Amino acid sequence: PAGAVTAAKRAGAPADLAVGCVFTQSPNYPGVPIVYRTAAQRAENSERLNLDRINLATMPLLEGEHRLRLLNYQNNMLRKICHLQGLPNLIFLDLYNNRIERIEGLACVPALRVLMLGKNAIRNVENLEPLRKLDVLDLHSNRITKIQRLSHLVELRVLNLAGNAVDVVDNLAGLRSLTELNLRRNQIERVLDLDALPALQRVFLSHNVIESFEDIGCVFRSKSLSELALSHNPVSLVSSGADGIGGGGGGGGDGAKAAAGKTAPENIDSSDQGEGGGDGTKIEAAAKERSDRKRTAAAEALQAYRHHVISSLPNLTHLDLQRISDDDRKTAKVMASRKEDRMQHEIREKRARGQRDLAISRARATWNERLRERQQAQRLATRHDGEGAAGSSSSSSSSSSSSSSS
């Protein structure tokens, strides 16, 4: 160990490196550190190497580590993925909390199963084609705006893209083994094609900007989903009539939306705004009443949201990290039945209104037709009467003329 620290100092590396690691440099690779372990240290654990928290700015070349399976570079200052050659058995690579800007340099480790790249500065999902055995891909807390170039990862089970800037979830077709998808804290407005992922069980979409259930329709078509998180989205805070929640049946969604949008006092008579302590008490009471209404409406909207999701996904076991109980399912079933009854009632009313409007329209058309016929008959009669009067006048005139002649 003492010799290792001396070698580290000689190579310009920090003195608090993992005990047993020797840092040096080769004239063939100027500026690139080379790391090797003593035979004793390698014999203790030939498959794992921790090089975390040692302020590395460059990934070093690793000498004699062909048996290495787990490599940890957490919490350094690395900017580039490189120097992984000579590690044919590497299956776990942890690069969490560095300064990496691109996914690259991985073609030499095709056996990799777990790639941890959370909390870096990556903007694009790229250069993962060689990693066809990848099982876990963690890209949380980066700067990614688009999901792409993943469809070849047919063995991928876990994909973590939380804390990025994704607005549309798509391009996931082909991930037939995917069981968990984490997309918390993005800017997601729409989700597509999740129903095409046959193994998907857990989806986390909380803290996004999803406004309606229609925007995530594929989630409700999934047959395998057992856990879903949608909290802290507009769709979970207020419910809209388009979603069949909080409509004319008093579900509370519209009330929550209205309450959320109120900023000015209301229901306060102008006489309550004068001077005096009594007026202040009235204003406080009105403010408390508004606050209570807002809380009640929000609670009703939340319940309506939960009932809708639970009734739409019968295989779901957890919603927003809360286990779904038998009572939850019973209540959701009752609410869904009431909603269906309400919808059927609205359909019947709409049909009746349509039939009534059609009957009125037909009656109006018949009446107008008869009116036109009557008016036409009157015009004809008037014309005949006029012609008869003209003929009579002409005859009288002729008779008068004959008399005068005589």
Side-chain angles (χ1 to χ4, degrees):
V5 172
T6 302
K9 290 181 178 178
R10 204 166 49 237
D16 60 345
L17 292 175
V19 175
C21 289
V22 178
F23 271 63
T24 185
Q25 291 186 3
S26 167
N28 297 327
Y29 302 98
V32 178
I34 300 175
V35 172
Y36 63 90
R37 291 187 285 180
T38 62
Q41 286 293 326
R42 193 180 298 116
E44 284 184 11
N45 195 343
S46 62
E47 296 186 350
R48 181 188 294 269
L49 176 58
N50 290 320
L51 295 173
D52 58 321
R53 302 178 186 276
I54 55 175
N55 297 321
L56 284 173
T58 304
M59 291 177 67
L61 286 166
L62 304 178
E63 291 285 342
E65 298 289 355
H66 62 278
R67 297 180 62 187
L68 194 66
R69 292 168 62 83
L70 289 85
L71 178 56
N72 179 9
Y73 280 119
Q74 280 190 20
N75 301 298
N76 282 291
M77 298 183 294
L78 303 173
R79 294 186 178 274
K80 186 176 181 180
I81 305 173
C82 56
H83 305 145
L84 292 172
Q85 54 266 40
L87 305 174
N89 296 305
L90 191 68
I91 62 170
F92 186 105
L93 177 60
D94 194 343
L95 291 160
Y96 169 80
N97 194 23
N98 279 276
R99 302 176 184 179
I100 295 166
E101 298 180 355
R102 288 194 66 195
I103 303 174
E104 58 185 338
L106 298 169
C108 53
V109 285
L112 204 63
R113 301 285 296 175
V114 178
L115 178 58
M116 312 294 285
L117 281 167
K119 206 172 180 182
N120 279 281
I122 296 167
R123 295 183 180 274
N124 295 307
V125 181
E126 57 185 342
N127 299 319
L128 293 170
E129 288 77 13
L131 307 183
R132 296 187 175 274
K133 296 184 178 180
L134 203 61
D135 184 68
V136 176
L137 177 58
D138 185 355
L139 291 167
H140 82 274
S141 302
N142 279 280
R143 301 173 187 175
I144 297 165
T145 59
K146 184 175 178 59
I147 302 173
Q148 56 187 344
R149 304 184 186 99
L150 292 172
S151 58
H152 64 285
L153 300 176
V154 295
E155 295 188 23
L156 190 68
R157 290 188 311 106
V158 178
L159 176 59
N160 187 356
L161 285 164
N164 282 280
V166 175
D167 58 354
V168 176
V169 179
D170 57 359
N171 297 324
L172 293 174
L175 301 183
R176 63 188 184 214
S177 301
L178 193 68
T179 61
E180 181 174 316
L181 177 61
N182 188 350
L183 288 159
R184 292 186 179 100
R185 299 185 185 278
N186 276 268
Q187 299 169 15
I188 295 168
E189 300 175 354
R190 235 172 5 122
V191 180
L192 304 173
D193 302 331
L194 294 194
D195 51 331
L197 306 178
L200 191 62
Q201 297 178 16
R202 294 176 294 280
V203 175
F204 305 104
L205 289 165
S206 53
H207 294 275
N208 281 287
V209 289
I210 300 165
E211 294 190 352
S212 76
F213 291 117
E214 293 176 355
D215 294 330
I216 55 171
C218 62
V219 172
F220 296 99
R221 292 191 296 271
S222 174
K223 304 298 183 184
S224 55
L225 204 61
S226 62
E227 187 169 348
L228 176 65
L230 279 173
S231 61
H232 298 89
N233 278 279
V235 71
S236 67
L237 299 176
V238 293
S239 51
S240 67
D243 298 322
I245 300 178
D254 293 337
K257 188 178 294 183
K262 291 175 184 173
T263 56
E266 63 177 7
N267 297 330
I268 301 177
D269 189 86
S270 58
S271 62
D272 294 336
Q273 300 182 26
E275 297 180 357
D279 295 330
T281 303
K282 291 179 181 179
I283 292 173
E284 290 177 3
K288 183 178 183 302
E289 183 182 351
R290 288 197 308 277
S291 177
D292 290 344
R293 285 202 310 268
K294 184 176 179 180
R295 280 196 297 270
T296 300
E300 290 175 350
L302 178 61
Q303 287 301 313
Y305 148 75
R306 285 186 61 84
H307 295 153
H308 177 79
V309 175
I310 293 170
S311 63
S312 300
L313 290 167
N315 295 325
L316 207 64
T317 60
H318 290 79
L319 176 58
D320 296 330
L321 305 182
Q322 295 181 11
R323 187 167 188 83
I324 297 171
S325 66
D326 291 339
D327 288 342
D328 291 332
R329 294 191 189 283
K330 291 176 183 177
T331 304
K333 186 175 181 180
V334 170
M335 297 302 294
S337 178
R338 290 179 182 175
K339 174 185 166 184
E340 181 64 24
D341 291 344
R342 190 163 57 246
M343 289 176 62
Q344 292 299 324
H345 177 68
E346 290 173 358
I347 290 171
R348 287 192 297 270
E349 283 194 342
K350 185 176 180 180
R351 186 182 296 121
R353 283 196 303 270
Q355 291 173 348
R356 184 170 60 250
D357 292 344
L358 180 61
I360 292 172
S361 177
R362 287 175 175 172
R364 184 179 291 116
T366 302
W367 170 261
N368 289 335
E369 180 63 26
R370 290 177 179 175
L371 182 61
R372 281 194 298 271
E373 291 175 355
R374 188 178 300 115
Q375 289 172 345
Q376 185 177 3
Q378 289 175 350
R379 284 195 297 270
L380 288 173
T382 302
R383 188 182 306 155
H384 290 153
D385 291 345
E387 290 175 353
S392 175
S393 175
S394 175
S395 175
S396 296
S397 177
S398 297
S399 297
S400 177
S401 179
S402 297
S403 264
S404 179
S405 235
S406 304

